[in-house]
């Protein structure tokens, strides 16, 4: 299967600061990347869809000014959590697809703890 | 009603047993069906990917799709303790967006 690398795997930050999470497709070009959030013992909830070279599409209820997504190239998307608060503490996971009608491969996830 | 329903378990079976995991869905527009395995504090790992009714086999894993009943299953044969994880079904209807089931926590006891 294809490899999607996510960095960092865990991060602790202070309230009010910003945190950037990177998602890279290592062995394929990803036309579309997706960002999910997962709370303990719950399923993945899609936050936004990121297409290379265009603005991300956010799901209802997700603040686009708080969760900044940049998809600068076909192999890299970043999620920046701005002015983080303790309630933003969660497991953030990205996924990437080569194109339509293909499998979605996931990164290993980033555990964010805001203190 | 949720778009995808999956029993969260937990499900505990002895090693070597056949495991049956299931999801039901309400939207007949779903076209692609996937099963993922997720270990604690890790990202989901793709196990099976199907797009038509019927069975697909890969080693000890068999994915079954019944579009007429809106029902999908994952069977694990000769289950191993290393299969202990959370199993998530994921469905796609278009625009490449996936809708996940809640996930079933599975434990295989040695």
């Amino acid at each position: 299967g294809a490899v999607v690398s996510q960095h960092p795997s865990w991060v602790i930050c202070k309230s009010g600061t910003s945190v950037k999470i990177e998602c890279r497709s290592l062995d394929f070009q990803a036309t579309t990347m997706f960002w999910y959030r997962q709370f303990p013992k719950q399923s993945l909830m899609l936050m936004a869809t990121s297409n290379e070279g265009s603005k991300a599409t956010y799901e209802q209820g997700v603040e686009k000014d708080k969760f900044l997504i940049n998809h600068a190239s076909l192999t890299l998307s970043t999620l920046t959590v701005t002015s983080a608060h303790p309630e933003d503490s969660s497991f953030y996971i990205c996924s990437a697809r080569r194109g339509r009608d293909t499998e979605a491969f996931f990164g290993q996830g980033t555990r964010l703890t805001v203190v | 009603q949720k778009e995808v329903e999956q029993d969260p378990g937990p499900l505990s079976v002895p090693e070597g047993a056949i495991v049956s995991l299931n999801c039901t869905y309400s939207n007949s527009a779903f076209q692609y069906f996937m099963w993922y395995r997720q270990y604690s504090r890790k990202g989901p790992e793709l196990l099976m990917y199907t797009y038509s009714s019927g069975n697909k086999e890969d080693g000890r894993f068999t994915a079954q799709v019944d579009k007429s009943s809106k029902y999908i299953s994952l069977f694990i044969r000769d289950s191993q303790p290393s299969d202990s994880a959370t199993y998530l079904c994921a469905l796609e209807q278009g625009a490449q967006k996936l809708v996940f089931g809640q996930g079933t926590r599975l434990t295989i006891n040695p």
Side-chain angles (χ1 to χ4, degrees), chain A residues 40-64:
Chain A
K41 297 187 179 182
Q42 294 188 24
S43 193
L44 285 74
M45 297 301 296
L46 180 65
M47 298 175 66
T49 302
S50 168
N51 291 296
E52 184 265 340
S54 62
K55 289 184 178 181
T57 302
Y58 290 81
E59 295 300 300
Q60 192 173 11
V62 178
E63 300 175 59
K64 61 180 181 181

Side-chain angles (χ1 to χ4, degrees), chain A residues 25 27-32 74-75 97-99:
Chain A
S25 55
D27 52 0
F28 67 100
Q29 292 186 329
T31 56
T32 307
L74 286 172
T75 60
R97 306 181 78 160
R98 291 186 182 91

Side-chain angles (χ1 to χ4, degrees), chain A residues 2-115:
Chain A
V3 178
V4 176
S5 177
Q6 197 171 331
H7 178 80
S9 56
W10 61 271
V11 59
I12 301 173
C13 71
K14 292 183 177 180
S15 287
T17 61
S18 295
V19 174
K20 180 185 284 188
I21 302 169
E22 292 188 349
C23 179
R24 295 181 184 272
S25 55
L26 297 186
D27 52 0
F28 67 100
Q29 292 186 329
T31 56
T32 307
M33 289 186 172
F34 304 84
W35 288 95
Y36 294 83
R37 181 166 51 184
Q38 186 178 33
F39 292 105
K41 297 187 179 182
Q42 294 188 24
S43 193
L44 285 74
M45 297 301 296
L46 180 65
M47 298 175 66
T49 302
S50 168
N51 291 296
E52 184 265 340
S54 62
K55 289 184 178 181
T57 302
Y58 290 81
E59 295 300 300
Q60 192 173 11
V62 178
E63 300 175 59
K64 61 180 181 181
D65 294 330
K66 180 171 185 60
F67 299 99
L68 302 179
I69 292 173
N70 182 279
H71 195 155
S73 75
L74 286 172
T75 60
L76 174 64
S77 176
T78 61
L79 168 68
T80 301
V81 182
T82 63
S83 187
H85 290 283
E87 56 264 32
D88 297 325
S89 298
S90 187
F91 194 53
Y92 292 86
I93 312 173
C94 71
S95 76
R97 306 181 78 160
R98 291 186 182 91
R100 289 189 175 278
D101 305 334
T102 63
E103 303 95 313
F105 295 96
F106 285 80
Q108 63 268 46
T110 297
R111 182 158 302 281
L112 169 64
T113 302
V114 184
V115 297

